[in-house]
Amino acid sequence: MPRCPTVLLVLLRWMHMHLWARRWRCRAGNNNRLPLCVQQRWAYFRLMVRSLYYNSLTGSDVIMDSLMEPVFWMVDLMTRWFGPVFVGLVVVLTSSILLIAYVGLLPMVLSTYSLPWIAWHIGYGHWNIVMIVFHYYKAIRTAPGYPPRVKNDLPFVSVCKKCIIPKPARTHHCGICNACVLKMDHHCPWLNNCVGHFNHRYFFCFCLSLTLGCVYCSISGRNLFIDAYGAIERFKHTDLEKSGIPVTGIGLLIGILPPGQSTYQTPAPLYTFRDKIFHKSIIYMWVLTSTVAVALGGLTIWHAMLISRGETSIERHINNKETERKAKRCKVYKNPFNYGRLNNWKVFLGVEKRSHWLTRVLLPSGHAPSGNGLTWDLYPIRKDMMPV
């Protein structure tokens, strides 16, 4: 009997909490008057906040990713919007260099160089232009490759949380394209396209061709740049100087001057407007090509190293983490897609016989890459896959 007051107290407290909960739910029901989009945003925000402290597996990385999600979303959105602008910028800058080369440099080469040097500049220059234009166009217009969205029996390693489809090996989701990409390397804003299985070779060949073209312009135009820079400095000093002899004395006081004569007798300038434009164009071309050669050259070398190791930019990060995890267990991690340095290049370039080094590497070629991007050979025998 002494415990009865305690039981009654517990029942009263439970009834009070139950009534308070019903009142709160009734008040919350009034929020249904809000627009549906506002309700969805509010529900998503509450879910995101609760996920930070209701999940027992939550760590610092998950919390930072959740907090930085709006920033990532904004970057992806801006990249998607400004993709056509970047493509137009590449076309405009490349066209400006070609205009300077054809209008300003080609007549000078034809009039001053010897016949072997003329043949070299014209031959190499036009080969380089064809390689740049062809591979850039193919890199933009070729889809990187997407996994099938219908039911199939292909092997997969996981399920994409955003696309809700099976992901084959080496497939990753691109937030900018909002799709899963086969053998995804990265999303390139200068292409306004993802770099994946079917256009990876076009992207690399474009970077290599453009780097070689910029290095060619930078080296061959070095002396022209030095002369143009000196000419521009002379033009500046000439504009500042006031040549001629001033009229002084009684003639200046009474305003009596010979017919057609001014206060200063200045001769005609030794240069023309066309000369100034030509020299400034040479400086613009040399500075632009040298800057692009350094920046794009580093990117090209980096991708060449990745290709030699049989991995992409994303896989490089994953393989480094796996190597560290295995090292803690005194084990060695091996990249299952590394077929050996030479074989990696053969598979990447699609070289299957000796003539392909000319027809598929040194000349523009639209051949498809090896494989379909859905299945991959793991740990092949360490010998030449293609006897070339």
Side-chain angles (χ1 to χ4, degrees), residues 131 135 200-210 349 361:
M131 293 290 285
H135 288 108
H200 194 181
R201 180 178 66 88
Y202 297 133
F203 166 77
F204 177 78
C205 290
F206 163 71
C207 292
L208 181 61
S209 302
L210 188 59
L349 297 173
V361 179

Side-chain angles (χ1 to χ4, degrees), residues 6 25 30 64 81 108 126 133 147 157 207 217 234 240 256 258 274 337 339 385:
T6 305
R25 281 198 287 271
N30 295 330
M64 288 303 299
W81 283 354
M108 185 181 63
H126 284 85
V133 173
V157 295
C207 292
C217 292
R234 289 195 301 271
L240 294 176
I256 299 177
R274 182 178 180 181
F337 309 110
Y339 308 146
M385 300 174 61

Side-chain angles (χ1 to χ4, degrees), residues 87-147:
V87 173
L89 189 61
V90 172
V91 173
V92 169
L93 293 179
T94 306
S95 301
S96 66
I97 299 299
L98 294 179
L99 181 63
I100 295 172
Y102 277 106
V103 175
L105 298 182
L106 185 60
M108 185 181 63
V109 169
L110 296 176
S111 61
T112 58
Y113 284 29
S114 60
L115 186 60
W117 277 111
I118 292 176
W120 155 253
H121 284 290
I122 293 180
Y124 175 80
H126 284 85
W127 171 81
N128 211 161
I129 293 172
V130 171
M131 293 290 285
I132 291 172
V133 173
F134 173 81
H135 288 108
Y136 188 66
Y137 176 80
K138 295 291 288 185
I140 292 175
R141 302 296 298 176
T142 304
Y146 308 102

Side-chain angles (χ1 to χ4, degrees), residues 284-299:
Y284 161 78
M285 181 189 70
W286 192 87
V287 171
L288 178 61
T289 54
S290 300
T291 305
V292 174
V294 173
L296 190 60
L299 179 66

Side-chain angles (χ1 to χ4, degrees), residues 110-300:
L110 296 176
S111 61
T112 58
Y113 284 29
S114 60
L115 186 60
W117 277 111
I118 292 176
W120 155 253
H121 284 290
I122 293 180
Y124 175 80
H126 284 85
W127 171 81
N128 211 161
I129 293 172
V130 171
M131 293 290 285
I132 291 172
V133 173
F134 173 81
H135 288 108
Y136 188 66
Y137 176 80
K138 295 291 288 185
I140 292 175
R141 302 296 298 176
T142 304
Y146 308 102
R149 291 183 172 271
V150 297
K151 185 177 180 180
N152 57 81
D153 297 329
L154 294 172
F156 61 94
V157 295
S158 63
V159 176
C160 180
K161 298 178 181 179
K162 297 184 178 181
C163 296
I164 317 298
I165 60 173
K167 289 171 56 177
R170 313 186 80 176
T171 299
H172 301 279
H173 184 86
C174 176
I176 301 174
C177 297
N178 196 24
C180 288
V181 177
L182 300 177
K183 192 194 167 187
M184 179 179 175
D185 187 272
H186 69 288
H187 184 94
C188 181
W190 300 102
L191 301 179
N192 192 28
N193 196 8
C194 264
V195 177
H197 177 66
F198 290 99
N199 64 349
H200 194 181
R201 180 178 66 88
Y202 297 133
F203 166 77
F204 177 78
C205 290
F206 163 71
C207 292
L208 181 61
S209 302
L210 188 59
T211 300
L212 293 177
C214 291
V215 171
Y216 164 73
C217 292
S218 180
I219 293 177
S220 61
R222 177 179 175 274
N223 293 332
L224 290 175
F225 167 75
I226 295 175
D227 296 340
Y229 187 81
I232 292 295
E233 291 298 321
R234 289 195 301 271
F235 295 161
K236 291 180 180 179
H237 291 300
T238 304
D239 292 337
L240 294 176
E241 291 177 356
K242 298 295 184 179
S243 59
I245 303 174
V247 178
T248 58
I250 190 66
L252 181 61
L253 291 176
I254 64 177
I256 299 177
L257 295 174
Q261 185 174 354
S262 61
T263 305
Y264 287 90
Q265 297 178 354
T266 304
L270 302 177
Y271 60 90
T272 62
F273 177 75
R274 182 178 180 181
D275 295 334
K276 295 179 69 174
I277 293 297
F278 173 77
H279 291 300
K280 289 182 178 180
S281 299
I282 295 297
I283 295 175
Y284 161 78
M285 181 189 70
W286 192 87
V287 171
L288 178 61
T289 54
S290 300
T291 305
V292 174
V294 173
L296 190 60
L299 179 66
T300 304

